[in-house]
Amino acid sequence: MGITIKSLIFILLIGFFLFWFVSLLKIETISKKELVTWRNVWLANQALAFLSPNIWVYYAAFIMASFLWLPKKPESKVFIYILLLGSLPMMQIILSGFGVINYLFPLNYARALALTILLPAFFTLAQGAGKQQRLFSQPADKFVVLFIVVISLLDFRGDTASNGVRFLFLHFVDLFLPYYVISRSITNVDNLNKCLTVLLISTGLLACLAVFETVKHWHIYNHLLQHLTSVSRVTAGEVRGGMLRAAVTFRTPIMLGFILTVGFGVYLYLSAFVKDKSLRKLPFIALITGLVCTVSRGPWVGLAFLLLVFIWTGRQKIAQYSKLIGGFIITLPILLITPFGQNFIDLLPFVGTIRAETLDYRARLFDMASIVVQRNPWFGSTTYLNTPEMQSMMQGEGIIDVVNSYLQVVLQYGWVGLVLFIAIFISLLKNIFVLNKRLYKEDEQLFRLGRALFSILSATALIIYTVSSVDYIPYYYWLLFGLSSSFIYVSKASIDRRHI
């Protein structure tokens, strides 16, 4: 218990520091009262988790506190959901079937958030039944619904009908709830800005904790998991290039790297709202430092791609690209002549030598998966992991890591599932791009917001090519789907008002 309390003390100190620093930034998108509320909720949730005697007590107390004290408005619930998502490990437990069925469903932290925060908001929005609340009123809705319906029907191919019903319920909670509630409750640019601000705060907390883990060589949330559950750790203590790869609350460092890349993209937009210009660059430095501490190549490439796309969608492209190239030229000699620089280059994808075998694994995985897909091309298979080709990819830990979300979808749900999944990205990106052409001269703020969301979605589409959709990964990109859909609605409404 002592080491658990020690972990909690360090986490609370880091949390207090981060929220204090955010107050110094004086971000125009939120009020001081909102910041204090979010700080208290985040700190209280950490204390509740670490001080609970077991996982059942924590979930019971969390559910009770959510219904009693959290805000009632759907948009306010969305802010809290974004703040708390990723703030604790998944901490999965199995809910008993009480003798009627084998079990109800696996409950994890992200699902607890959705059920206690988003589900009440869903019922509130459904009762409103306004124009924006109706299904298929947003461009991406048809692809979202089709994707969820198709994968839910395909999951009935399992051994029992109860398993199919279970997956249908879980797809509703994990995928549909975040998308629908966020896209329907966030109806103006002010609330969109608050969503992005609370997402930035959440990723800022993760960045600070990532730096702490690497510097102290200590995965700080492992003790919470040992205290509450039978699981011994959140993540393996992998060292790469002499650095402990930070993971914080995530199963693997690459997942944390993905979230920090999203946070960086958010701050590209929100930095303009920071009143204290002397502190404006510090969040960039914190997010990049946290990303370096993950020692994850996929998110590093994703961050570079995000920057390139953000510049490409903006004004003065040549000047901005010139600055980027100039910065690289200035930095390159430092990387070449210093020990840290040499070590960093060795960690880079394609040119680095440290753990280069991971690239070979990915290439072999693609070859083996291609063979498996050919057997069930249209609708995939629920037993694809049992095939000889996939069994040959078994790693030393006794797992088959499908480190590619697109392969994961096509193996389980076939080309039909993959096309619908990609169609969600394409629909959102296309609509944001088209709207930004009109916003270019009409609304500078929405134009900049559209650039950020377009860049983040593009980088997300690239990064999930390097990581499987497990743990928190799908929760975050479905959150981004909801925010992007909300942006499309807000932008269309703004353009319509200007042309009345």
Side-chain angles (χ1 to χ4, degrees), residues 262-327:
V262 171
F264 187 91
V266 169
Y267 193 61
L268 285 174
Y269 166 67
L270 287 178
S271 58
F273 294 96
V274 175
K275 290 182 181 179
D276 193 331
K277 295 182 180 180
S278 63
L279 301 175
R280 187 172 286 178
K281 292 183 180 179
L282 291 181
F284 281 124
I285 295 171
L287 289 166
I288 291 175
T289 306
L291 187 57
V292 169
C293 289
T294 66
V295 198
S296 299
R297 296 167 173 139
W300 290 357
V301 174
L303 177 65
F305 184 65
L306 187 150
L307 273 172
L308 292 173
V309 173
F310 187 76
I311 293 172
W312 174 71
T313 55
R315 300 179 173 89
Q316 301 177 328
K317 298 179 182 63
I318 296 176
Q320 295 300 321
Y321 280 132
S322 299
K323 288 181 181 178
L324 198 63
I325 294 170

